[in-house]
Amino acid sequence: MDFFMFVCICNAVSDQQIADAVKAGACDLQAIQEILLVSTACGTCRPTAEAVIADTLLETAAGRSRSTNASDIANLVYAA
Ligand code: FES
């Protein structure tokens, strides 16, 4: 079961929606605001929204580098 939390109460935007938007290519708060309107009313959610964006970017980068990391290359070299 996947759990989510609302990051932006004013616009009913969840952390999962923000993460999905980042994974789809939106890489900063401005881009996310254009899609989801997060943090466009009272602004209280801005720090949390930025944290979700940063965490998702790190997670995405880690996933990308993990598929071609040095250990994998070394294993291929030694296997050859
Ligand atoms: S809680 Fe996000 S703009 Fe108010």
Side-chain angles (χ1 to χ4, degrees):
M1 175 181 273
D2 290 333
F3 294 98
F4 69 90
M5 69 173 183
F6 281 107
V7 171
C8 180
I9 302 302
C10 294
N11 296 303
V13 180
S14 72
D15 58 343
Q16 188 60 55
Q17 289 174 292
I18 295 170
D20 288 346
V22 171
K23 290 173 185 172
C27 58
D28 59 24
L29 183 61
Q30 184 177 358
I32 300 295
Q33 286 174 318
E34 291 173 9
I35 299 166
L36 298 172
L37 300 178
V38 66
S39 193
T40 58
C42 74
T44 304
C45 60
R46 184 183 180 114
T48 306
E50 290 176 331
V52 172
I53 293 166
D55 286 351
T56 305
L57 287 171
L58 284 173
E59 182 183 300
T60 304
R64 284 187 187 136
S65 67
R66 201 169 72 187
S67 65
T68 56
N69 67 20
S71 177
D72 290 340
I73 294 169
N75 287 337
L76 288 172
V77 169
Y78 290 122

